Amino acid sequence: MDKDQNIAYLILAFIVVLFILFVFFVSLILIFTQRLKQKKKDAMKNLLDGVENEKQKISRDLHDHIVPGLAGLNFKLDKLCNGDEYDIEKNEIKTKLLESISEIRVLSHNLVSHALERYGLTEGIRDYSYNSPLKQVKIEVNDKAKYVEINKDVAQHIFAIFKELHMNTIKHSDATECQVVLEINTTSLLFTYFDNGTQLAHKIKEGIGLNNIKSRVEIMEGEWIIKSEGNFFIEIRVNNVVKI
Amino acid sequence: MKKLKILVVDDHPIYRNGLRDVLIGEKMVRLVEVASDGNEALEQLGLQEFDLLLLDLQMPDLDGVETAKLVVKKFPRVAIIILTSFSIRKQINELLEIGIDGYLLKGADRGEIVEAITSVLKGDRYLTPEVNKIYNDYLNEQSEQALVVMVSNILTKREVEVIKQICIQPNTKAIAQKLFVSQATINNHRYNIFKKLGVKSSIGLVSWAVQKGYYNPNKDNL
């Protein structure tokens, strides 16, 4: 009887140890997976931050050094001519110089949105859309968005997503217009992008132009819905967006 | 004509010295001084009287917008012309609200700068054509937005729904069925909408709705 009881205790102890080991290993795997996920997210964030910082550096250099430098040279050229009419060669140099200044200004503007930096997400999107080749870019913003100041990182990510989607519309879609709806409340942000073409949805299905957007949504811990039949439509929701 | 005293404020030495050398050769100019940022400019303005400030926007310490605000407040007689690489619509508007007199883009040549100075000293405002277009488009957009806000403030949500339905098909019975209300209610809404918007017929309402973006004949249908 005692022997049977001992065996039963042993089996029970073995099962308990086995269970503890199982829980231990499962926890270990969960912790490891979680850390791996976090590391992957951090790496992606660092990569995107790095790209953003580089863009800002290049844009600043273009704006603060190259454009004023070339414009200064233009003055030197003016002085060299001493008020006389330019000859054809000098005129050509001057025209090329002015064209370069204008192109560099546009390039710098496309790299970094100074409107976003200075006036926030809504104005950043409006300013960017102003130069869009699309016939119509409709932007709807709820009233509260004008008063709620959102986190700078979230604003950067949403702006980058908008730019990427808009570039996709221009490059891959047959759309004539697109629409952006931005709804910002005290706790969350809802960003919707829609274009009236049929090609982008098709391209998206093939996986074009989504990787960066996906990474940014993951970094913001947001949720997204994509409609890839007919017209293209994407909705992104992010919580805890308000600047503390 | 009184000869001008000009202060060029820019953190980039090649640009500010180049501009100084060009301006000093102009008949209407008596003196051109340079400053590398907003603080230095304010110091110089305190030391001697200037007629005109040619001001960059992106500068260390005290930037162009803040400098313009202080100059308008402390030295209201000094005219200000912005000379920058930036053409941000809201910033252009902000600066004009502060009270600057002109806005040029870097790349403007001697001829345009002299033209801007002459206009500003005559009391006119000078905006380079690119900036002028951006500013006017911005003002138009603002007034359109204000109109949409005004209209959305005077119309109820139900009235906006009724407007859309009237545009799709003007038959009162069909609209009433679609919105699950009586025909009398629709007629009442129609009366209120016409009164609020000052339109006299359904055709006038449709044309108003298309113009204001409440109805798109290519997209909205039965």
Side-chain angles (χ1 to χ4, degrees), chain B residues 155-169:
Chain B
L155 292 172
T156 64
K157 274 188 181 169
R158 195 56 162 175
E159 283 166 349
V160 172
E161 268 178 74
V162 173
I163 289 175
K164 276 187 185 160
Q165 290 306 319
I166 291 174
C167 291
I168 293 167
Q169 59 164 3

Side-chain angles (χ1 to χ4, degrees), chain A residues 60 62-69 71-76 78-79 83 86 94 98 101-102 105 109 114-115 118-119 123 126-127 130 138-139 143 146 177 179 194 196, chain B residues 10-12 14-15 18-19 21-22 58 63 65-66 84-91 94 105-111 113 130 133-134 137-138 141 145 149 213 216 219:
Chain A
R60 217 176 14 248
L62 291 174
H63 251 287
D64 296 354
H65 301 292
I66 312 291
V67 169
L73 282 180
N74 185 35
F75 291 141
K76 294 271 178 208
D78 267 337
K79 199 158 179 271
Y86 298 118
K94 197 177 164 67
L98 293 178
I101 292 172
S102 179
R105 278 186 49 240
H109 186 261
H114 299 282
R118 192 171 175 95
Y119 298 104
E123 190 51 34
R126 286 193 198 282
D127 190 76
Y130 177 72
K138 268 191 192 170
I139 300 162
D143 281 347
K146 291 169 196 159
E177 63 178 77
Q179 192 172 358
F194 162 90
N196 69 344
Chain B
D10 197 300
D11 60 333
H12 200 282
I14 296 180
Y15 189 79
L19 182 55
D21 293 348
V22 162
Q58 188 89 333
D63 71 9
V65 177
E66 292 309 312
T84 177
S85 327
F86 292 97
S87 53
I88 307 167
R89 10 177 272 152
K90 202 166 179 175
Q91 194 170 44
E94 188 185 351
L105 291 175
K106 278 187 179 163
D109 60 9
R110 187 190 59 85
I113 294 172
E130 185 185 330
K133 185 182 179 304
I134 294 172
D137 290 346
Y138 178 73
E141 190 190 295
Q145 274 175 20
V149 170
N216 182 343
K219 259 181 13 192

Side-chain angles (χ1 to χ4, degrees), chain A residues 164-165 168 171-172 200-213 232:
Chain A
E164 181 119 11
L165 289 167
N168 284 341
K171 272 189 197 165
H172 304 298
L200 187 56
H202 183 67
K203 295 275 179 192
I204 290 287
K205 253 183 170 178
E206 292 170 1
I208 292 171
L210 270 192
N211 288 343
N212 275 348
I213 295 170
F232 175 73

